[in-house]
Amino acid sequence: MREVFHQSLEDVQTRLVEIAELVTVAIDKATRAFGSSDVALAEEVIEADAVIDEKAIALDELAIEILARQQPVARDLRIVVSALRISASLERMGDIAEHIAQLTRMRFPERAIPKGLKSTFTKMGELDVEVARQLTELLRTQDLALAEKIRNDDDKLDDLHISVFEKVLSDTWQGEASATVDATLASRYHERFADHAVSVAKKVAYLATGDWVTETDAIEVIVNGQR
Amino acid sequence: MREVFHQSLEDVQTRLVEIAELVTVAIDKATRAFGSSDVALAEEVIEADAVIDEKAIALDELAIEILARQQPVARDLRIVVSALRISASLERMGDIAEHIAQLTRMRFPERAIPKGLKSTFTKMGELDVEVARQLTELLRTQDLALAEKIRNDDDKLDDLHISVFEKVLSDTWQGEASATVDATLASRYHERFADHAVSVAKKVAYLATGDWVTETDAIEVIVNGQR
């Protein structure tokens, strides 16, 4: 029974990694499409989101099947429940990539990226892809050093998000209302990816340490390597 | 064992209703604080969010304990898993109320609500409170007619959300960039409550019908009363 259970858990992990890889591709394409007003690339992201949603649902079904058939307890149970939550966060990251792609498509043939913010959004997009890659690797390896990198990148993204508002609210901002709306929404979306990644990283910290901790405690595990 | 299980499920339901009530209060206070620039009321919402978070964590712990001790299968198992997801959505609705309160506090003593959008945001706030009340009642009674009302209110909120953008992007919009930013973020927050409520309603439709359905199928249950 233990054998079967561990096989099932490996299956869950493999699928989480697979979904994280698809999400990484979506974020990469969406942020590049946004930066270059590439509507064809944006369309790809919008179409591919259904695949992420399906895979997340299939993973949830597998987790429920494991709960029903193998009735795990204690740490094993918490691992399966965590997988359900991680899949929800990954699915949401896919949705946000789709929102960025929709913003790109809506503005086409105009540029979705407001003037004067090109380099900021390029940096945000690159950091988002880096975060998604680190998250995929974290799910694959449970290397908690990656969780700390994700947290650092999240801090950088928060700073860039604030810098977008500073720019938009400064006296030198010449953008029309539509540019202000786009900058506000796009910046929020770019920043949200990392919030979800941090949330997943906290759950993986739990999986790795085996201690059930609240999110606040978990971050201590990530930062200090101990409770 | 069945008796114990049903007692546990009732406990889960009671707690979900209790969290939904707290979320309703948070949404009511946050949207009123936003409308009247009432920073004291906004502070109340920000402080109270920790209580919602704690209660959601406690509920999750209870659900995990039920899974471990009573090892439910089939429909019972899916009910417990749904409760975990519903609690996550409610907790997120509390976070959004907190975001609106923070926006109010950040702009104080200026008004957070941009000129010319007062009546739109008042309507959105009232609809949000109505949605939250209906959701609480739905969790209490499993009356699926409420799920349909929530969906209708979500449609109205989507329309109001679009009308905010139309106003902001029209030639007559005189707002400064800060007003445009506030309108964009606030409108998005006001509209998101109902998305989460619809998502919870879909899960309750599942709980009520007992059929495990994907979210797409579940909406058919809500709308047509059958699959």
Side-chain angles (χ1 to χ4, degrees):
Chain A
M1 191 67 177
R2 267 322 272 184
E3 282 291 309
V4 176
F5 181 69
H6 280 281
Q7 186 53 50
S8 305
L9 272 198
E10 267 178 39
D11 195 6
V12 166
Q13 189 199 9
T14 306
R15 291 199 198 196
L16 281 176
V17 170
E18 189 195 356
I19 296 171
E21 281 167 347
L22 291 174
V23 169
T24 305
V25 170
I27 294 175
D28 180 41
K29 285 185 179 176
T31 52
R32 282 193 292 120
F34 180 72
S36 59
S37 294
D38 185 337
V39 78
L41 199 58
E43 295 281 2
E44 281 182 37
V45 176
I46 293 164
E47 269 186 38
D49 192 55
V51 180
I52 294 173
D53 292 351
E54 275 165 31
K55 286 191 185 284
I57 289 170
L59 173 57
D60 291 354
E61 284 301 307
L62 174 65
I64 290 171
E65 202 182 297
I66 293 172
L67 290 174
R69 294 208 181 172
Q70 302 179 19
Q71 310 208 317
V73 294
R75 183 173 176 233
D76 292 344
L77 169 61
R78 288 172 187 279
I79 289 174
V80 179
V81 171
S82 295
L84 281 168
R85 289 172 168 150
I86 290 171
S87 107
S89 291
L90 292 174
E91 194 263 318
R92 187 70 201 133
M93 290 170 81
D95 287 346
I96 299 172
E98 194 188 3
H99 290 337
I100 292 176
Q102 282 166 337
L103 205 57
T104 308
R105 186 171 67 175
M106 196 171 65
R107 287 287 170 250
F108 187 80
E110 302 288 313
R111 296 184 74 78
I113 205 161
K115 245 189 199 167
L117 287 169
K118 171 110 181 129
S119 73
T120 307
F121 276 112
T122 302
K123 262 184 240 159
M124 288 182 103
E126 285 167 0
L127 277 169
D128 283 329
V129 175
E130 190 176 299
V131 163
R133 287 206 180 115
Q134 285 165 348
L135 187 63
T136 308
E137 215 38 39
L138 174 63
L139 289 168
R140 196 194 317 270
T141 63
Q142 271 93 50
D143 172 4
L144 290 195
L146 289 162
E148 197 173 343
K149 282 189 189 162
I150 290 169
R151 252 178 56 92
N152 287 339
D153 282 347
D154 178 43
D155 288 344
K156 285 185 211 162
L157 277 157
D158 287 344
D159 290 345
L160 286 166
H161 183 48
I162 290 167
S163 82
V164 169
F165 287 122
E166 283 170 352
K167 187 113 185 186
V168 165
L169 300 179
S170 73
D171 295 338
T172 58
W173 177 248
Q174 305 268 327
E176 299 196 354
S178 65
T180 308
V181 168
D182 289 352
T184 303
L185 285 180
S187 184
R188 167 114 185 119
Y189 295 147
H190 278 75
E191 178 259 341
R192 285 295 289 161
F193 286 127
D195 291 342
H196 286 287
V198 167
S199 161
V200 172
K202 286 172 186 168
K203 290 173 181 71
V204 177
Y206 154 65
L207 292 179
T209 60
D211 285 327
W212 183 248
V213 285
T214 64
E215 298 228 330
T216 321
D217 293 338
I219 210 65
E220 293 302 312
V221 176
I222 296 174
V223 176
N224 305 319
Q226 59 182 33
R227 290 186 70 184
Chain B
M1 192 64 178
R2 262 328 268 182
E3 283 290 308
V4 175
F5 181 69
H6 279 281
Q7 186 53 50
S8 305
L9 272 199
E10 267 178 38
D11 195 6
V12 165
Q13 189 199 9
T14 306
R15 291 199 199 195
L16 281 176
V17 171
E18 189 196 356
I19 297 170
E21 280 167 348
L22 292 175
V23 169
T24 305
V25 170
I27 293 175
D28 179 42
K29 285 185 179 176
T31 53
R32 283 193 292 121
F34 180 72
S36 59
S37 294
D38 185 337
V39 78
L41 198 59
E43 294 282 1
E44 281 182 38
V45 175
I46 294 164
E47 268 186 39
D49 192 54
V51 179
I52 293 173
D53 291 351
E54 275 165 31
K55 287 193 184 281
I57 289 170
L59 173 57
D60 290 354
E61 283 302 307
L62 173 65
I64 290 170
E65 203 183 294
I66 293 172
L67 290 174
R69 295 208 179 170
Q70 303 179 18
Q71 310 209 320
V73 295
R75 183 173 176 234
D76 292 345
L77 169 60
R78 289 172 187 278
I79 290 175
V80 179
V81 170
S82 294
L84 281 168
R85 289 171 168 151
I86 291 171
S87 106
S89 291
L90 292 174
E91 194 262 318
R92 187 69 202 135
M93 290 170 81
D95 287 346
I96 298 171
E98 193 187 3
H99 290 337
I100 292 176
Q102 283 165 337
L103 205 57
T104 308
R105 186 170 67 177
M106 196 171 67
R107 288 288 170 251
F108 187 80
E110 302 288 312
R111 296 184 75 77
I113 206 161
K115 247 189 198 166
L117 287 170
K118 171 109 180 132
S119 73
T120 307
F121 276 113
T122 303
K123 263 184 240 159
M124 288 183 101
E126 285 168 359
L127 277 169
D128 283 329
V129 175
E130 189 176 301
V131 163
R133 287 206 179 115
Q134 284 165 348
L135 187 63
T136 309
E137 216 37 39
L138 174 63
L139 289 168
R140 196 195 315 271
T141 62
Q142 271 94 51
D143 172 4
L144 289 195
L146 289 162
E148 197 173 342
K149 282 190 188 162
I150 291 170
R151 254 178 54 93
N152 286 340
D153 282 347
D154 178 44
D155 287 344
K156 286 186 210 163
L157 277 157
D158 287 345
D159 290 345
L160 287 166
H161 183 48
I162 290 167
S163 82
V164 169
F165 287 123
E166 282 171 352
K167 186 113 187 186
V168 165
L169 300 178
S170 73
D171 295 338
T172 58
W173 178 248
Q174 306 268 327
E176 299 197 354
S178 65
T180 308
V181 168
D182 289 352
T184 304
L185 285 179
S187 184
R188 169 119 184 113
Y189 296 147
H190 278 75
E191 178 260 340
R192 285 295 288 160
F193 286 126
D195 291 343
H196 287 287
V198 168
S199 160
V200 172
K202 287 173 187 168
K203 288 173 184 72
V204 177
Y206 153 65
L207 292 180
T209 61
D211 284 328
W212 183 245
V213 285
T214 63
E215 299 229 332
T216 322
D217 294 337
I219 209 64
E220 294 301 314
V221 176
I222 295 174
V223 175
N224 304 322
Q226 57 181 35
R227 291 187 71 183

